[in-house]
Amino acid sequence: MLVLYTDFGFQGPYVGQMKAVLHMGAPGVPVVDLMHDAPPFDPQSSAYLLAALVGDLTPGAVVLAVVDPGVGTDRRALVVEADGRWFIGPDNGLFALTVRRAAAARAWEITWRPEKLSASFHGRDLFAPVAAEIAAAGTFDDARKGRQIALQEVDRPDWPDELERIVYVDGYGNVISGMRAENLSPNHRILVHNVEIKGEKTFASVPPDSLFWYANSSGLVEIACNRGRADRRLGVSVGTGVRVVGNQSVTAVT
């Protein structure tokens, strides 16, 4: 299975062009659009989101991930194997959290270059052919196309384990943070723009038009407004900071 994760959006030819290359290189391998509205030009936010989303993928899945504002520069191209899943994309921190949280991982720099390499579309010309080859063969031909590198070179040690920031806003206006909910207790509250938000398990646990945070289906802390838009209620967007607080400060706002 090939899995696509990009900030391209669905408008324009870009996703289709990558899929065409994947089909030529790995005919018959299913291609899944995980998401194409990853935080644009933002590898850090995208890294925390990606690490949460891939946990349920089967071993052997090949993730082609492109959030690449440095395309065409001397930033490296990477192949990463983490817990049996493959990741192909730019060396800009996009795989840092995936590698950090993996029980077992390896990484390679892609040294191979195709005859045709656009300075603005490595997703199609460089990453997609490598991803297709891995999907078809089940492994990376590092003898011909790369060299193994230390995992420390993939990580970003200055990036925290939990990112206290909004990394995604979904179509309902729910706002997703870069924090894993497993590290919080029901007594914790989330502070956003001086609004303190309590935790609940389900939407039905609070009245309509009430704010709350919960552990979303990918395990991240998500803030929602029951039957409303949390992003508009709070005046937030991707990049807005959030903070975890205890239950001994001001009365929570609903």
Side-chain angles (χ1 to χ4, degrees):
M1 175 173 61
L2 282 153
V3 180
L4 302 183
Y5 177 87
T6 79
D7 63 350
F8 293 171
F10 276 104
Q11 292 184 331
Y14 310 114
V15 173
Q17 287 178 297
M18 282 206 313
K19 285 184 175 181
V21 173
L22 295 173
H23 178 71
M24 288 186 288
V29 176
V31 179
V32 176
D33 296 294
L34 182 59
M35 64 187 303
H36 293 295
D37 60 342
F41 317 116
D42 188 349
Q44 186 180 34
S45 294
S46 297
Y48 288 83
L49 191 58
L50 177 65
L53 292 175
V54 299
D56 292 328
L57 296 179
T58 58
V62 179
V63 180
L64 172 52
V66 188
V67 178
D68 193 16
V71 62
T73 67
D74 60 357
R75 67 95 185 88
R76 296 183 299 185
L78 294 181
V79 170
V80 168
E81 184 186 16
D83 291 336
R85 306 176 188 97
W86 295 91
F87 299 83
I88 300 91
D91 180 20
N92 58 10
L94 189 56
F95 305 134
L97 275 295
T98 299
V99 166
R100 188 185 302 176
R101 295 172 183 173
R106 299 182 293 169
W108 298 264
E109 178 185 0
I110 302 170
T111 56
W112 169 81
R113 293 296 182 268
E115 291 184 9
K116 174 188 175 183
L117 180 61
S118 166
S120 62
F121 202 177
H122 286 190
R124 178 194 65 192
D125 297 339
L126 179 57
F127 302 140
V130 173
E133 184 172 303
I134 292 173
T139 190
F140 176 55
D141 185 0
D142 58 330
R144 291 192 306 114
K145 295 194 172 181
R147 66 177 186 90
Q148 191 163 4
I149 61 175
L151 288 176
Q152 291 86 341
E153 297 182 41
V154 180
D155 197 4
R156 292 293 188 272
D158 55 325
W159 290 6
D161 288 337
E162 312 299 330
L163 186 64
E164 291 187 317
R165 194 168 79 196
I166 293 169
V167 300
Y168 187 71
V169 179
D170 73 13
Y172 295 100
N174 301 334
V175 296
I176 301 175
S177 78
M179 300 181 294
R180 290 171 291 182
E182 65 186 28
N183 297 314
L184 275 64
S185 77
N187 294 328
H188 285 109
R189 306 199 179 199
I190 307 298
L191 188 66
V192 185
H193 289 335
N194 295 319
V195 177
E196 195 169 321
I197 302 164
K198 66 179 182 178
E200 294 288 353
K201 187 174 182 180
T202 66
F203 283 74
S205 301
V206 301
D209 204 36
S210 295
L211 292 165
F212 68 104
W213 75 263
Y214 68 106
N216 73 8
S217 60
S218 299
L220 295 176
V221 171
E222 182 165 334
I223 300 168
C225 178
N226 187 17
R227 305 186 192 183
R229 294 190 63 97
D231 60 338
R232 294 174 184 169
R233 278 282 303 274
L234 294 166
V236 298
S237 59
V238 172
T240 300
V242 301
R243 187 159 61 88
V244 177
V245 296
N247 65 339
Q248 298 177 351
S249 53
V250 300
T251 302
V253 175
T254 60

